[in-house]
Amino acid sequence: MAFTLSATNTLIQISCSSNSSSPFIFKPLKLPPFWPWQKVKMGPLSVSPMGFGTWAWGNQLLWGYQPSMDAELQQAFDLAVENGINLFDTADSYGTGRLNGQSEKLLGKFIREFQDKAPRQNDIVIATKFAAYPWRLTSSQFVNACRSSLDRLQIDKLGIGQLHWSTANYAPPQELALWDGLVAMYEKGLVRAVGVSNYGPKQLVKIHDYLKARGVPLCSAQVQFSLISMGKEQQEIKNICDELGIRLISYSPLGLGMLSGKYSPSKLPSGPRAFLFRRILPGLEPLLIALKEIAERREKTMPQVAINWCICKGTVPIPGIKTVKQVEDNLGALGWRLSLDEQLQLENAAAESPRRMIQNIFQTR
């Protein structure tokens, strides 16, 4: 037996390999609200309701990357695109040591190798972030950084060019160069849209107003946003995004894996994450219990519930992927929606949990 579901959401056809000569055809009453091919607006772009992050692609220190993983990374990418995911987040600083920029190189390679199989490849939106290195002091240096990313990706134009972080906390004079760099990228046609990452509410309003005065719309703001990192400031950022028409991208929606259900105080990940998990996991018991309870009731996994919560909050989550299994699991976060009672249950459990994710050191106010 095989079945196909049309992307127009109008017809389901089931073909049975029996003696019947004609397939069964019926029209569904209503499809769930979040299927990958049902896109959401992000400035001038249409993106899947969930994207994927590529921080691990080239990162040996935190994620244990080895070039031998490339074949499965390609399979994971292919599976994501085949199932309607078209937003991929990367950065020019992703990759450790000699592998700096490896994430962009792999992403570009995977897109090229997928072209023959995917007529939709032109719909792929690459959002890359530019590091505010101390030697990047002029707008032209950020334009050059953008051109270098385009070279690594081997594409002509980025979907979204993003500032990786603000320098307002430690080098305020450099901040204007960052903003002018975004303007220059946009005006030169190197990016279709611009965004920011790790900007707090005050700086977010400032850069929005500055870019607006220059005729450049701010389409996205990326922030650490999950059940263990949503505090007063995150909610303020979300409210500002809603008010100003900025799409919030939630990175680390699984708290680096703490909400995956795979780990416990006696079962920690390898590498530097173990230190962080040892500090935080023991204080997450109320939340982990609630995640597990809802997952079992819904016949979902804990990561699927945690990611779906981010979607229900109106954000576009970008969980990181390294394996085909992770893509398969994360795709299960789409096609359904937590009830308001379930969302409240998770948020109350999070409030009862005495530990929170450590704030990104680059996050501004």
Side-chain angles (χ1 to χ4, degrees):
M1 176 182 288
F3 70 90
T4 59
L5 176 56
S6 74
T8 57
N9 295 350
T10 58
L11 183 69
I12 291 181
Q13 177 173 302
I14 301 178
S15 302
C16 301
S17 56
S18 62
N19 294 330
S20 174
S21 59
S22 61
F24 296 100
I25 297 176
F26 65 93
K27 292 184 178 180
L29 294 177
K30 185 178 181 182
L31 288 177
F34 293 114
W35 289 83
W37 58 76
Q38 291 182 323
K39 302 297 188 275
V40 299
K41 295 300 292 181
M42 188 174 288
L45 308 168
S46 294
V47 302
S48 43
M50 172 181 68
F52 283 136
T54 63
W55 182 16
W57 301 9
N59 188 297
Q60 295 176 314
L61 179 65
L62 193 65
W63 300 108
Y65 167 81
Q66 297 296 329
S68 59
M69 298 177 178
D70 290 356
E72 183 165 16
L73 289 176
Q74 171 85 70
Q75 293 171 6
F77 172 84
D78 289 355
L79 180 63
V81 178
E82 288 165 357
N83 283 275
I85 301 298
N86 77 329
L87 175 65
F88 293 89
D89 180 79
T90 184
D92 65 357
S93 62
Y94 284 176
T96 51
R98 61 181 178 80
L99 294 173
N100 191 59
Q102 182 75 352
S103 172
E104 291 181 331
K105 291 177 183 176
L106 287 174
L107 188 53
K109 175 176 178 285
F110 295 163
I111 292 173
R112 292 192 302 277
E113 293 184 0
F114 192 70
Q115 284 179 349
D116 292 338
K117 299 179 290 183
R120 292 177 300 170
Q121 64 87 19
N122 289 330
D123 294 331
I124 292 174
V125 174
I126 297 178
T128 203
K129 298 183 289 294
F130 305 106
Y133 293 133
W135 55 86
R136 290 178 173 170
L137 298 172
T138 66
S139 62
S140 63
Q141 287 173 314
F142 279 93
V143 169
N144 290 339
C146 182
R147 294 189 191 279
S148 295
S149 288
L150 291 172
D151 287 343
R152 283 188 291 270
L153 289 158
Q154 293 193 31
I155 59 176
D156 297 324
K157 181 180 287 192
L158 285 170
I160 310 174
Q162 306 166 100
L163 298 179
H164 206 152
W165 65 84
S166 165
T167 62
N169 288 345
Y170 62 92
Q174 189 181 2
E175 188 82 346
L176 188 59
L178 306 182
W179 298 0
D180 286 343
L182 282 187
V183 172
M185 292 175 203
Y186 185 82
E187 290 180 343
K188 291 178 181 296
L190 301 178
V191 300
R192 295 179 63 191
V194 301
V196 294
S197 178
N198 296 309
Y199 268 62
K202 291 182 179 179
Q203 284 301 105
L204 182 59
V205 171
K206 287 180 181 178
I207 188 172
H208 168 271
D209 292 347
Y210 182 85
L211 292 176
K212 184 178 180 181
R214 299 288 301 274
V216 180
L218 182 63
C219 88
S220 63
Q222 198 177 131
V223 67
Q224 187 172 233
F225 191 96
S226 73
L227 281 161
I228 57 172
S229 63
M230 194 197 79
K232 181 179 178 182
E233 190 171 80
Q234 270 76 11
Q235 189 55 55
E236 187 178 356
I237 293 170
K238 179 62 173 60
N239 292 341
I240 290 170
C241 286
D242 291 345
E243 180 182 344
L244 298 179
I246 303 167
R247 179 68 68 175
L248 193 146
I249 299 174
S250 49
Y251 74 78
S252 291
L254 300 178
L256 298 180
M258 274 185 269
L259 301 181
S260 68
K262 292 169 53 179
Y263 304 106
S264 68
S266 60
K267 183 185 177 184
L268 299 171
S270 59
R273 281 190 300 160
F275 174 76
L276 185 65
F277 280 44
R278 192 177 290 114
R279 278 189 60 186
I280 298 176
L281 265 178
L284 294 183
E285 187 174 1
L287 176 56
L288 294 175
I289 289 173
L291 277 169
K292 185 177 181 181
E293 179 183 315
I294 293 173
E296 290 177 347
R297 185 168 67 242
R298 286 283 198 151
E299 297 185 341
K300 302 292 181 182
T301 66
M302 290 170 64
Q304 289 167 359
V305 173
I307 293 171
N308 189 274
W309 177 86
C310 291
I311 295 173
C312 289
K313 292 299 166 184
T315 77
V316 175
I318 49 168
I321 54 167
K322 290 194 300 181
T323 67
V324 169
K325 184 177 179 180
Q326 287 174 337
V327 173
E328 291 173 342
D329 189 48
N330 290 342
L331 286 170
L334 302 171
W336 60 286
R337 190 181 181 94
L338 289 163
S339 69
L340 292 177
D341 286 344
E342 288 169 329
Q343 293 175 47
L344 188 59
Q345 179 185 351
L346 290 170
E347 290 157 21
N348 288 338
E352 293 170 8
S353 299
R355 295 288 185 181
R356 286 284 184 276
M357 175 61 79
I358 293 175
Q359 189 71 30
N360 191 306
I361 60 171
F362 290 113
Q363 179 77 32
T364 57
R365 295 192 178 278

